[in-house]
Amino acid sequence: QFFVFCHGLLQLSQLLVSGYLKSSISTIERRYGLSSQTSGLLASFNEVGNTLLIVFISYFGSRVHRPRFIGCGAILVSLAGFLMSLPHFITGPYEYDQSVASMFSNTTDLCQPGVPGSQGNLSDAGCTPHAARENHEVLLVMFIAQALLGVGGVPIQPFGISYIDDFASERNSPLYLGILFSVTVIGPGVAFMLGSAMLRFYVDIDKVTGDNVQLTNKDPRWVGAWWLGFLVAASLVAVSAVPYFFFPREMPKEVGESFPFFLSDFPLVLLRNLRHPVFLLVVLAQVNLSAMVAGLATFMGKFLERQFSLTASLANMIIGAVNIPGAMVGIVVGGAILKRFQMSLRQCSAMCILGMFLCLLLAFPLLFLGCPTQKVAGVTYSESSEFEHHALECNLQCNCPEKAYNPICGSNDIEYISPCFAGCRVVNINADNNTVLNYTNCSCISEKGLAGFAKPGTCGTGCSHLFLPFVVLSCLAGILASISHTPSFMLILRSIQPEDKSFAVGIQFMLLRVLAWMPGPVLYGSAIDTTCILWEKKCDRKAACRYYDNNLFRQR
């Protein structure tokens, strides 16, 4: 029982490390200027290390000191977690364009007529060869960490489960495995909650004092303390790893027979299972569903942030507290119905089809629940040809830095990418906490012939009224889809020869990894990238996306 407790704890903390990355992905994109395709590849890269080794490990399972192997794997996972946070410590502080860099500097992105090109230094400062190299180092470290995370995770699940199954009594074994299974489902939820908590802190909380942070977490340039969660999760894994070095190689129990399984049989068994139509079809169906789940898990938070103008922290909170528990409910309900009605294989497949069909019906309206991107002058919006001309005139003499990004919301409900772009000449500062109150005397924001004013920050999509229906529908659709989880497993386990069981499950997970969990986030990320309207430029290369076409983002 102590082993089951330790293993539950270890699996939870391991999932914290891998799940936490998904919760902070939009933050890491913004901090290091990554496209969603790159971040999707990063998020699924741990599967690479995992897949390469899983077959060998499952094969040698009974011949090694399993607890010790699990402990070593856990230490690798913990190392990977600490490595993930390393980029924060090797790079300088996060830099963003601001109207008042500090009380002492005179660089600004206000409109300053007659100061030609003085502000060119606002955004190009970070473009030394050193900065470009730094960015490559960051990506390299993160990809290595993800690969390590995959390798370290290999022995944890198969060895733990086989160890428990070997030494627990037949009566208790299902209970113990059920406990572990529920932990693996709760894990990602906890990871998103951890993300929600950590992203409320400013990224450089350890490098700058609170007074110098002028961003609020509602600002589109806000970057939360993404690295903190990795330190927490990695420390938890390290603590959970300790007991494994003290468990015995074997525990006393009535010894059941084990199936000898030799490498020479490998191709034969593989072909036998892959030629089995039920096995193949169900696994392919699971592959399609899992690819969707993998992509959604990675980018759902980003989607909520963009569509409904939520903070990253709140988006993670919703996913961790609503969507993931919904999926758990679905899995439990599916298992309960199976048990209650003792279903045949045909009934199992009917239940899967029904669940998926109802899920599609509920998910269909999600295509339309959202709003277009807010009006952004010169990006998504121009009132008329006269407006284009006017836009040139009204900020022509301002000599604005092209790349500046310090969005403000005009009193006319149009967003401008910087105060200079809106032709604002005056900034009013709240003396108490050094934050910007508003910008006035803006020549591009004209109301009734007077120069208008603007508030710092984005205008938002004005979509908050659709947020609740979206969450409710997506949660229900998730419950219905996950009802088919247990019956589809049953279809696989009952349709193949008993001696092939463990091997068939191995093949199943292998196919899921290679066809779903690896490509899923990359495909999703690429699809999201195609909907970007304005890219941030870093050293003349595309970095993170500033504005998406929200309608296209939602539909694709």
Side-chain angles (χ1 to χ4, degrees):
Q1 284 170 344
F2 181 59
F3 184 88
V4 174
F5 169 76
C6 290
H7 206 62
L9 199 64
L10 178 60
Q11 279 198 339
L12 183 69
S13 16
Q14 178 204 359
L15 283 163
L16 270 188
V17 179
S18 54
Y20 182 78
L21 174 67
K22 291 182 168 34
S23 77
S24 50
I25 204 94
S26 64
T27 300
I28 293 175
E29 279 181 13
R30 194 171 298 156
R31 174 66 183 87
Y32 294 109
L34 311 179
S35 69
S36 289
Q37 187 178 27
T38 308
S39 70
L41 183 62
L42 178 65
S44 61
F45 204 68
N46 57 333
E47 302 295 349
V48 175
N50 208 313
T51 310
L52 294 176
L53 290 171
I54 196 91
V55 177
F56 290 106
I57 290 288
S58 319
Y59 179 66
F60 291 117
S62 47
R63 308 196 175 98
V64 295
H65 192 308
R66 284 173 292 187
R68 210 165 283 167
F69 253 71
I70 296 174
C72 294
I75 284 177
L76 273 184
V77 169
S78 159
L79 195 71
F82 287 121
L83 261 183
M84 280 303 289
S85 64
L86 183 65
H88 171 74
F89 301 101
I90 56 178
T91 55
Y94 171 53
E95 285 161 2
Y96 54 92
D97 301 330
Q98 44 201 142
S99 304
V100 192
S102 74
M103 288 310 194
F104 318 108
S105 87
N106 53 3
T107 52
T108 165
D109 60 0
L110 290 176
C111 177
Q112 294 177 309
V115 192
S118 70
Q119 299 144 328
N121 59 2
L122 189 63
S123 290
D124 294 339
C127 225
T128 54
H130 170 70
R133 198 179 69 241
E134 196 176 63
N135 223 356
H136 286 148
E137 283 166 10
V138 163
L139 271 179
L140 187 65
V141 167
M142 286 184 150
F143 273 100
I144 290 173
Q146 277 288 86
L148 266 184
L149 178 62
V151 172
V154 167
I156 294 178
Q157 195 145 12
F159 281 7
I161 286 176
S162 63
Y163 191 81
I164 289 170
D165 200 45
D166 283 355
F167 303 123
S169 71
E170 263 90 22
R171 211 183 66 228
N172 291 345
S173 179
L175 171 72
Y176 296 149
L177 296 181
I179 291 172
L180 288 186
F181 181 65
S182 60
V183 168
T184 47
V185 183
I186 295 167
V190 181
F192 277 98
M193 299 303 263
L194 179 67
S196 175
M198 294 306 166
L199 296 180
R200 286 190 190 135
F201 300 112
Y202 182 64
V203 60
D204 289 322
I205 196 168
D206 57 329
K207 298 179 186 172
V208 297
T209 51
D211 314 342
N212 297 354
V213 181
Q214 294 162 3
L215 296 179
T216 65
N217 63 4
K218 296 199 172 37
D219 192 291
R221 294 161 299 165
W222 170 268
V223 168
W226 59 272
W227 49 277
L228 250 174
F230 284 115
L231 294 183
V232 172
S235 314
L236 264 175
V237 175
V239 171
S240 320
V242 175
Y244 282 93
F245 293 100
F246 302 102
F247 280 111
R249 181 174 178 148
E250 294 182 340
M251 288 188 185
K253 180 221 161 171
E254 64 275 12
V255 181
E257 83 284 18
S258 62
F259 306 118
F261 173 59
F262 301 109
L263 272 179
S264 53
D265 306 335
F266 189 87
L268 224 126
V269 185
L270 182 66
L271 277 174
R272 185 164 69 210
N273 282 311
L274 285 182
R275 280 213 315 269
H276 197 301
V278 178
F279 177 77
L280 199 61
L281 286 170
V282 175
V283 168
L284 286 179
Q286 287 184 341
V287 161
N288 280 301
L289 186 61
S290 302
M292 182 188 81
V293 172
L296 269 186
T298 311
F299 293 115
M300 176 89 161
K302 184 184 173 82
F303 177 81
L304 294 176
E305 285 168 48
R306 296 293 179 149
Q307 286 287 327
F308 304 106
S309 310
L310 306 184
T311 63
S313 170
L314 182 58
N316 284 336
M317 182 87 132
I318 296 293
I319 295 170
V322 180
N323 287 76
I324 293 179
M328 288 168 59
V329 169
I331 292 174
V332 172
V333 167
I337 295 176
L338 257 185
K339 199 174 158 141
R340 171 81 186 70
F341 297 108
Q342 299 287 316
M343 293 187 154
S344 68
L345 285 190
R346 189 158 286 166
Q347 287 168 322
C348 277
S349 57
M351 185 168 149
C352 293
I353 293 169
L354 187 68
M356 295 316 301
F357 179 68
L358 291 174
C359 165
L360 281 179
L361 281 186
L362 277 186
F364 186 66
L366 297 182
L367 272 172
F368 310 103
L369 282 184
C371 305
T373 313
Q374 63 267 39
K375 294 176 173 176
V376 184
V379 180
T380 63
Y381 174 77
S382 56
E383 261 169 4
S384 61
S385 56
E386 178 252 349
F387 170 82
E388 288 289 328
H389 180 65
H390 178 57
L392 288 174
E393 295 276 286
C394 69
N395 62 20
L396 196 56
Q397 76 275 43
C398 296
N399 305 308
C400 298
E402 294 169 28
K403 297 192 188 116
Y405 180 62
N406 175 7
I408 59 171
C409 185
S411 47
N412 56 355
D413 280 339
I414 294 175
E415 192 168 314
Y416 295 83
I417 45 182
S418 76
C420 181
F421 201 77
C424 301
R425 288 156 204 248
V426 182
V427 57
N428 299 311
I429 289 187
N430 178 350
D432 299 339
N433 55 5
N434 200 14
T435 53
V436 174
L437 282 172
N438 62 1
Y439 299 91
T440 50
N441 209 345
C442 308
S443 49
C444 294
I445 310 173
S446 52
E447 286 186 296
K448 311 183 196 67
L450 300 165
F453 67 94
K455 296 192 301 298
T458 169
C459 287
T461 52
C463 226
S464 44
H465 60 292
L466 290 175
F467 177 52
L468 195 63
F470 183 92
V471 169
V472 170
L473 275 178
S474 69
C475 182
L476 288 174
I479 292 175
L480 285 166
S482 46
I483 280 181
S484 67
H485 181 275
T486 316
S488 69
F489 257 101
M490 280 299 129
L491 278 173
I492 287 179
L493 290 177
R494 289 196 200 148
S495 64
I496 50 185
Q497 299 176 13
E499 67 271 17
D500 291 350
K501 232 178 242 189
S502 55
F503 187 62
V505 174
I507 301 176
Q508 175 201 8
F509 274 95
M510 185 86 179
L511 288 172
L512 282 179
R513 282 210 162 85
V514 175
L515 299 177
W517 295 336
M518 277 187 211
V522 183
L523 290 172
Y524 264 69
S526 309
I528 290 172
D529 281 344
T530 62
T531 66
C532 183
I533 321 171
L534 180 67
W535 288 96
E536 164 197 13
K537 290 260 195 300
K538 263 193 191 165
C539 314
D540 295 326
R541 64 171 192 91
K542 278 196 319 193
C545 183
R546 298 266 196 233
Y547 293 107
Y548 292 97
D549 179 326
N550 273 351
N551 288 334
L552 284 179
F553 187 166
R554 188 173 62 249
Q555 289 153 5
R556 286 183 191 167

